[in-house]
Amino acid sequence: MMSLLALRDISKIYGSVKALQNINLTVQRGEWLSIMGPSGSGKTTLMNIIGCMDKASGGTAILDGVDISTLNSQGLTAIRRDKIGLVFQQFHLIPYLTALENVMVAQYYHSMPDEQEAMAALERVGLKERAKHLPSQLSGGEQQRVCIARALINYPMLILADEPTGNLDEANESIVLGLFQQLHREGHTIITVTHDPEVAELTERCIILEHGRIADQRKSRPISGAGAGA
Amino acid sequence: MFWRMLVGALVRQRRRMLMVALTIALGTSLSTAMLNVMLDVGDKVNRELKAYGANITVIPKSASVLKDLYGIEAGPGAAGQYLAEADLGKIKTIFWAHNIVTFAPFLENKTVLGQGGREVTLVGTWFDHSLELPTGEVAETGVRPLKTWWQVEGGWVKDDDPRGAMVGSLLASSAGLRTGDDFEITPPGGAGKERLTIRGIVSSGGSEDEQIFVPLATAQKLAGLPGKVGRIEVSAITTPENDLARRAAQNPKSLSLKDWETWYCTAYVSAIAYQIEEAVAGSRAKPIRQVAESEGVILQKTQLLMLLITVLSLIGSALGISNLLIAGVMERSREIGLLKALGATDGAILWQNLAEAVAAGIAGGGAGYFSGLGFAQVIGRSVFGSAVAVNAMVIPLVAVLVILVILAGSLPAVRMLLSLRPAEVLHGR
Amino acid sequence: MTKYAMFGKLVIHALLRRRSRILVALLAVATGATILSGLITIYYDVPRQMGREFRSYGANLLFIPAGSNQMLLADDLARAGGLLPRDKVIGIAPYLYERVKVNEQPLMAAGTIFKEVRNVSPYWHIRGQWPEKADGIVVGAEVAELLKLELGQKITLAVAHASTEKTLTVEGIVRTGGQEENFVFTDLALLQQLLNKEGQLSIAQASIMATEDELTALSRNVAQNVAGVSPRLVKRVTQSEGQVLGKLQALVYLVTIIILLLTLICAATTMMAVVTERRKEIGLKKALGAENSGIIREFLGEGLVLGGLGGAIGTVLGFFFAQAVSLNVFGRAISFQPFIALVAFVVSIGVSGLACLIPVKIAIDVEPAIVLRGE
Ligand SMILES: Nc1ncnc2c1ncn2[C@@H]1O[C@H](COP(=O)(O)OP(=O)(O)O)[C@@H](O)[C@H]1O
Ligand SMILES: [Mg+2]
């Protein structure tokens, strides 16, 4: 079975800054990968390229059999919409929409808003009672859970989480990590960026970026056979 | 640090600052244009109203009643029945000489058209006469600039053309005369028949349509009144009458010395008439109320209208500018929250914002002022065909306006700043 | 929930839940719309209102006897008057001129209807009052001086070929600076009766709110339909009025254009500022997979709603402003013009829609990664 993601010689250059250099990486379906590395090492840049938010300066990236490095921005938008779920460190919720509506926005752009389904997603992240609250009325952990619900709502093939717990306290962090673990068990493919070795421990594989290169790769724990959903 | 932050904001938020400056420029430009136009509109419209012709008639003091009432022509040599042609130039030497737009002399005679034909009025006048003044200047006078509504078929008579004549349209059609025809007239005395050639037909919709117009010299010769003039019509730019002017019109001598001076040195139609009487010997100058009065009405209405439109546009610019400033502060609420979190006092943040607005205001205001002058000139040139006077008074007016608006525009911002709690702002998104 | 309902929700909530920002934008649009509708209304109304003011110059149409007739018949004049648009006629003043003797002095008398003279020639300056009764007269200032007449004084009026003398009271002394100062004005019916010229007139002056072209058309109509009357335009008044009024209208026109231009740009910049603030939101929506066209549609929807609301408020305020101007300057109310309101409304919507679009168009081409990074 073909891997979900295959990066070959990916590089990204901002003016004179080489944010990424010759990245080679494959991610299997159902895998949970974590990316670590010091600040400025290119983690977000890599996530953006995988998430079709940005284009690489060189190299090829195959996502689910599609060469995304050759797509134009419309094509990228379509892939992003259909296959990717994004979770941000800064949550990025629309301030004037309620938790429920924020989830529905993703449905809206994907296909059809469905209130019941959105509510179910919120229930899953434990926020059923907070569905009608605006982001400013939610705690950071709650906002991040809304974000996760939003990322899940369209059944993405790949969930990308850039420092999802970076802004959270421990209690909320464990709730959020619990959610990811559950998603993983259900067979979702997940890539998380983190600074926390304990988080990396939870994942199957961890790559370490330094100065835009993969400096180290290690298995955190054996890849579970659960390739469900793929 | 204040400066570094200010410079940072100005340079790095160039687009936003540009926008503020642009809005201030627009507001200033609008205010400048409208204020300049408004302050000058009276003068401009006043000149346009000269299209209605004379607003003062000057007649000989003693002849006025007799002649008009009985239609009797006083015999030649009757002293005080006529004005002297030589005095005409003096009209342009009075205190308000610059307000005298133009004037024309008239000398009317009854005469008989053709062989034993009907009696008509023969009017001697200046048609288009460049009058040299004692000051060395040249004044454009005559009926052509004075009676702009005359429609002339054919051509105008030249003032040095002794045989040239213009005939009123009704008279021409009833007597079967056309441009180029010769005709004969006989003065009342019977002696001295004269052949004249029609250069043009005048149509005015008034009594002129039944009259014959000839150069003043010709009429003087025919009437035997060399150097004499029966009446002068003067078109002057005047200030609308007020109470003082009305009291003065009744009797200038009834005013106190101070009032009298004010009156004399204001371009009221009565004051100008009074000064003409002083200048032209043996004359009586009367304001023509039909023109003088109506001018005042139109002028005041126009000025009030422009004033109100100006006020509206000033309010509009003020709202526009303050609105954008508020929007700017809102946009930066996060940045401000952060600054507060870092320990900035409200005062410090306020100064920061104000300084930015002032910097944008100076740049925008300067550009706006000059583009406003441009707009004012566009209006002046295309509507009135002349430049709008640049009024220096506008500069402080607009400056004060912009400063007030910047302060007022920052006021809601200040309230917002003070009520802002950094934790909320930073958390809120 | 349908896609449309969600679209509506996005738009409405973007407006309702961002109250202070939306208020700013609304204020901007409403200010623009107020000025727009106010100025267009004034521009539309000025020629008519000013045209009314220009009637202070007096008669602009004369009715004189047609052909070789010496006299104008009152019946003909009435028929001619019937052909004129009633709401445009300020007044029609008939005059009957005749030589008379006042206190044994030969003078010109004019019989007229004082009520009409007041309307037609508002510039007459009357000392005393306009006569109410038939035995009151108004004398010209020159006549008063010549005959040493004072207000309230009785005079005798006699006509040739008639032995009857009338005793009348001087009720007013008129000053105009023109020929009128040499006349004695009496009641029309009285003079007609004295002269045995019932129903006859010398001339009639009409003051009509109309342009030169309209007057020409009116007078042609009268000349064709009423044989005994020959209408003539007073060119001095009609032509000059056309000229000055044209300038005034051009003035208001240009002023309106410039104010509108600047105000609308001003409103647009504020709208733009408010939208630019939402770059991040645009980036996020793109990250969630929104098509460019979808985002544009949402912002456009917001802009249109804002424009509609602000436009409606501004249109109403603008009308009140124009009303205030008209009442203050001309002392007359104006009627609501649905067409102008519609234009102002539509332009407000258009401008705010456009003002929303521009910053969105700029923001939308930026990759979401750049918008979302940092902070
Ligand atoms: N839009 C950009 N313009 C210029 N430089 C950028 C941009 N985005 C990222 N970089 C640079 O690329 C490098 C990697 O950044 P990033 O991927 O955000 O690091 P991190 O690992 O902290 O997420 C940094 O040196 C950063 O300065
Ligand atoms: Mg990062």
Side-chain angles (χ1 to χ4, degrees):
Chain A
M1 187 175 56
M2 201 178 56
S3 55
L4 178 63
L5 176 73
L7 304 183
R8 207 166 308 129
D9 278 338
I10 287 293
S11 56
K12 178 74 184 178
I13 297 167
Y14 291 113
S16 61
V17 180
K18 291 179 179 157
L20 292 175
Q21 298 176 54
N22 305 334
I23 301 286
N24 286 291
L25 180 69
T26 44
V27 178
Q28 303 301 328
R29 289 169 204 267
E31 192 179 357
W32 186 0
L33 175 78
S34 59
I35 302 174
M36 290 184 74
S39 199
S41 58
K43 303 181 297 291
T44 301
T45 308
L46 181 59
M47 292 292 265
N48 283 340
I49 289 171
I50 298 171
C52 299
M53 304 259 285
D54 208 350
K55 288 183 74 167
S57 315
T60 48
I62 314 282
L63 178 68
D64 195 27
V66 180
D67 185 354
I68 56 172
S69 45
T70 60
L71 293 177
N72 62 8
S73 72
Q74 265 174 334
L76 286 177
T77 298
I79 300 267
R80 189 163 66 226
R81 185 175 60 207
D82 296 337
K83 303 191 174 174
I84 311 277
L86 292 165
V87 178
F88 308 94
Q89 181 179 359
Q90 295 90 359
F91 323 137
H92 292 316
L93 294 172
I94 297 178
Y96 53 83
L97 295 180
T98 61
L100 182 69
E101 286 160 357
N102 262 293
V103 176
M104 284 163 67
V105 167
Q107 291 178 312
Y108 168 68
Y109 289 125
H110 179 266
S111 49
M112 234 353 143
D114 181 336
E115 195 165 339
Q116 251 110 56
E117 208 179 337
M119 193 53 114
L122 279 180
E123 192 167 4
R124 188 164 168 198
V125 297
L127 282 180
K128 194 178 173 201
E129 303 78 48
R130 312 289 250 147
K132 296 270 188 264
H133 286 80
L134 291 173
S136 55
Q137 298 163 330
L138 298 174
S139 76
E142 286 162 342
Q143 289 187 51
Q144 191 58 297
R145 274 141 70 192
V146 175
C147 233
I148 294 173
R150 182 176 65 184
L152 289 178
I153 194 72
N154 294 321
Y155 307 104
M157 276 179 169
L158 180 58
I159 296 170
L160 299 177
D162 192 349
E163 301 191 37
T165 56
N167 280 340
L168 302 183
D169 59 276
E170 260 173 57
N172 274 306
E173 181 177 344
S174 65
I175 296 176
V176 168
L177 287 177
L179 277 170
F180 278 111
Q181 280 175 304
Q182 197 189 337
L183 291 172
H184 176 54
R185 274 196 301 276
E186 288 167 9
H188 283 95
T189 313
I190 307 170
I191 303 179
T192 43
V193 169
T194 182
H195 282 296
D196 187 347
E198 278 178 39
V199 175
E201 277 302 307
L202 297 172
T203 65
E204 293 159 328
R205 189 158 61 110
C206 179
I207 61 168
I208 294 158
L209 286 183
E210 251 166 57
H211 303 297
R213 295 174 192 273
I214 297 180
D216 197 3
Q217 261 202 62
R218 61 172 183 246
K219 278 209 168 69
S220 316
R221 58 190 176 88
I223 294 176
S224 70
Chain B
M1 192 59 213
F2 175 80
W3 289 111
R4 277 171 77 166
M5 271 169 46
L6 181 61
V7 170
L10 288 179
V11 174
R12 280 173 222 128
Q13 298 203 305
R14 215 175 299 141
R15 194 190 278 186
R16 208 178 67 78
M17 276 303 159
L18 256 172
M19 203 112 115
V20 174
L22 174 69
T23 309
I24 291 179
L26 288 174
T28 319
S29 172
L30 187 55
S31 317
T32 307
M34 285 309 298
L35 283 172
N36 269 313
V37 169
M38 187 196 80
L39 292 174
D40 203 33
V41 78
D43 198 47
K44 289 273 180 287
V45 172
N46 215 331
R47 278 187 188 278
E48 294 303 326
L49 287 169
K50 293 302 114 204
Y52 281 95
N55 49 4
I56 298 171
T57 45
V58 188
I59 49 175
K61 204 178 238 156
S62 48
S64 53
V65 176
L66 268 179
K67 195 176 151 203
D68 283 351
L69 278 186
Y70 305 107
I72 302 165
E73 289 301 317
Q81 308 273 327
Y82 292 95
L83 301 168
E85 186 182 351
D87 281 349
L88 282 172
K90 291 186 183 163
I91 291 176
K92 285 290 272 182
T93 63
I94 63 168
F95 184 81
W96 283 107
H98 281 294
N99 280 35
I100 306 286
V101 176
T102 190
F103 58 89
F106 297 92
L107 181 62
E108 296 182 2
N109 282 304
K110 293 274 185 256
T111 172
V112 174
L113 183 65
Q115 310 294 66
R118 58 202 258 210
E119 198 185 59
V120 293
T121 305
L122 181 85
V123 184
T125 187
W126 288 346
F127 291 94
D128 197 356
H129 186 84
S130 297
L131 181 68
E132 277 204 37
L133 303 178
T135 56
E137 289 172 74
V138 174
E140 293 304 321
T141 63
V143 287
R144 193 166 182 178
L146 186 68
K147 311 213 169 192
T148 51
W149 63 93
W150 274 21
Q151 283 176 344
V152 174
E153 199 184 299
W156 287 82
V157 176
K158 299 244 170 359
D159 285 303
D160 52 5
D161 171 8
R163 276 169 47 85
M166 289 169 87
V167 177
S169 58
L170 289 180
L171 178 62
S173 64
S174 65
L177 293 171
R178 269 180 294 149
T179 304
D181 289 355
D182 277 5
F183 65 96
E184 203 161 75
I185 51 162
T186 320
K193 277 191 183 144
E194 188 79 24
R195 282 197 80 74
L196 297 171
T197 307
I198 301 179
R199 307 279 182 222
I201 308 278
V202 175
S203 154
S204 82
S207 56
E208 291 99 334
D209 288 354
E210 315 243 22
Q211 296 173 343
I212 300 174
F213 291 85
V214 295
L216 184 61
T218 311
Q220 286 170 342
K221 199 184 88 193
L222 285 172
L225 290 167
K228 298 286 184 217
V229 165
R231 173 167 52 95
I232 311 168
E233 290 186 9
V234 183
S235 173
I237 290 180
T238 61
T239 306
E241 301 257 292
N242 63 3
D243 239 19
L244 173 66
R246 267 174 227 121
R247 269 191 294 141
Q250 296 284 331
N251 182 11
K253 303 218 164 56
S254 70
L255 300 178
S256 70
L257 190 64
K258 196 160 153 279
D259 280 353
W260 191 87
E261 256 170 31
T262 317
W263 170 75
Y264 192 89
C265 298
T266 310
Y268 297 124
V269 66
S270 50
I272 294 181
Y274 182 83
Q275 289 162 13
I276 292 177
E277 281 179 8
E278 286 180 330
V280 179
S283 72
R284 247 189 85 191
K286 296 196 287 184
I288 302 177
R289 292 189 57 87
Q290 182 187 8
V291 176
E293 186 90 331
S294 308
E295 254 169 26
V297 172
I298 305 283
L299 219 54
Q300 275 167 342
K301 302 277 162 180
T302 311
Q303 273 170 325
L304 189 54
L305 179 71
M306 287 303 286
L307 178 74
L308 288 176
I309 294 183
T310 305
V311 168
L312 176 75
S313 66
L314 292 186
I315 294 176
S317 343
L319 276 179
I321 295 173
S322 61
N323 217 341
L324 190 77
L325 290 176
I326 297 172
V329 174
M330 283 180 174
E331 193 179 342
R332 301 171 70 196
S333 57
R334 230 166 117 97
E335 177 195 327
I336 292 165
L338 183 69
L339 287 179
K340 278 186 129 180
L342 293 177
T345 61
D346 289 333
I349 294 174
L350 210 68
W351 275 117
Q352 179 88 27
N353 269 283
L354 220 57
E356 285 175 29
V358 167
I362 290 171
Y369 176 74
F370 288 104
S371 77
L373 289 187
F375 278 126
Q377 296 316 329
V378 167
I379 293 177
R381 291 244 163 253
S382 47
V383 177
F384 301 108
S386 58
V388 168
V390 176
N391 202 318
M393 196 177 95
V394 170
I395 300 179
L397 261 174
V398 170
V400 167
L401 183 83
V402 168
I403 291 170
L404 280 182
V405 163
I406 288 181
L407 288 179
S410 307
L411 208 72
V414 170
R415 267 195 36 214
M416 214 178 86
L417 285 184
L418 300 185
S419 63
L420 220 79
R421 264 173 295 150
E424 261 175 26
V425 182
L426 292 180
H427 167 85
R429 293 274 177 125
Chain C
M1 184 186 285
T2 64
K3 251 189 128 95
Y4 292 112
M6 188 69 196
F7 175 80
K9 218 169 186 163
L10 282 176
V11 170
I12 297 294
H13 286 169
L15 295 177
L16 289 186
R17 299 216 179 115
R18 298 166 63 244
R19 217 169 291 144
S20 50
R21 284 154 177 83
I22 288 314
L23 248 132
V24 166
L26 200 62
L27 189 62
V29 178
T31 308
T34 304
I35 291 179
L36 182 73
S37 99
L39 283 187
I40 298 183
T41 309
I42 290 174
Y43 171 66
Y44 174 82
D45 216 50
V46 153
R48 296 187 305 144
Q49 304 279 30
M50 269 293 182
R52 183 73 180 72
E53 299 302 331
F54 272 89
R55 298 307 343 113
S56 71
Y57 276 101
N60 50 4
L61 190 63
L62 299 182
F63 294 116
I64 58 174
S68 56
N69 293 359
Q70 287 300 308
M71 283 295 169
L72 189 68
L73 296 180
D75 290 345
D76 283 346
L77 181 65
R79 275 200 289 145
L83 293 172
L84 303 174
R86 189 170 299 250
D87 54 332
K88 295 260 174 85
V89 177
I90 307 291
I92 301 177
Y95 288 96
L96 173 64
Y97 296 116
E98 191 59 59
R99 281 178 187 275
V100 296
K101 281 196 170 157
V102 173
N103 291 355
E104 303 302 316
Q105 296 268 8
L107 280 176
M108 276 299 262
T112 186
I113 300 173
F114 289 114
K115 195 162 62 67
E116 294 291 334
V117 174
R118 271 180 94 160
N119 289 334
V120 173
S121 310
Y123 56 88
W124 280 27
H125 181 73
I126 293 273
R127 200 150 60 81
Q129 61 181 24
W130 291 94
E132 298 280 348
K133 290 197 291 282
D135 66 350
I137 60 165
V138 170
V139 298
E142 296 283 351
V143 174
E145 200 172 302
L146 184 78
L147 300 185
K148 309 267 180 306
L149 294 180
E150 268 309 318
L151 290 178
Q153 200 171 320
K154 300 257 190 265
I155 56 113
T156 57
L157 185 132
V159 300
H161 321 300
S163 50
T164 47
E165 262 189 8
K166 276 268 173 193
T167 306
L168 303 168
T169 316
V170 177
E171 294 206 20
I173 295 174
V174 63
R175 196 174 275 286
T176 67
Q179 289 297 322
E180 293 88 348
E181 296 188 0
N182 303 325
F183 285 85
V184 174
F185 295 91
T186 72
D187 182 67
L188 176 65
L190 179 92
L191 193 64
Q192 284 174 333
Q193 190 198 331
L194 275 178
L195 294 169
N196 251 333
K197 289 186 173 175
E198 267 93 356
Q200 295 183 39
L201 303 168
S202 309
I203 193 172
Q205 298 182 348
S207 172
I208 303 167
M209 266 196 290
T211 64
E212 191 165 21
D213 292 342
E214 288 167 350
L215 280 177
T216 311
L218 284 178
S219 61
R220 195 173 304 130
N221 188 21
V222 168
Q224 274 166 7
N225 289 303
V226 188
V229 175
S230 162
R232 276 173 64 197
L233 265 62
V234 184
K235 286 229 177 63
R236 173 189 194 182
V237 174
T238 58
Q239 201 155 323
S240 306
E241 177 177 324
Q243 196 177 327
V244 179
L245 208 51
K247 294 268 162 117
L248 283 181
Q249 206 179 352
L251 173 70
V252 178
Y253 176 73
L254 261 190
V255 162
T256 303
I257 293 278
I258 288 180
I259 295 183
L260 283 189
L261 196 77
L262 298 187
T263 320
L264 291 185
I265 295 179
C266 204
T269 51
T270 306
M271 285 289 286
M272 276 162 78
V274 172
V275 174
T276 308
E277 183 190 10
R278 295 163 69 187
R279 262 161 59 94
K280 246 177 75 183
E281 183 186 327
I282 294 173
L284 174 68
K285 284 179 169 174
K286 280 190 78 171
L288 291 176
E291 303 268 4
N292 286 358
S293 58
I295 295 176
I296 289 178
R297 234 181 296 128
E298 277 165 38
F299 275 81
L300 196 61
E302 271 183 57
L304 296 188
V305 171
L306 266 182
L309 212 61
I313 296 172
T315 304
V316 173
L317 287 182
F319 173 73
F320 284 120
F321 170 76
Q323 182 76 277
V325 168
S326 186
L327 284 176
N328 273 306
V329 179
F330 303 109
R332 277 183 291 274
I334 50 174
S335 55
F336 184 71
Q337 295 292 331
F339 180 70
I340 294 175
L342 192 72
V343 168
F345 186 64
V346 168
V347 172
S348 320
I349 291 182
V351 168
S352 64
L354 207 70
C356 274
L357 269 192
I358 296 168
V360 174
K361 279 264 190 205
I362 294 172
I364 210 147
D365 287 329
V366 180
E367 288 301 328
I370 294 176
V371 186
L372 291 182
R373 70 166 285 109
E375 288 184 49

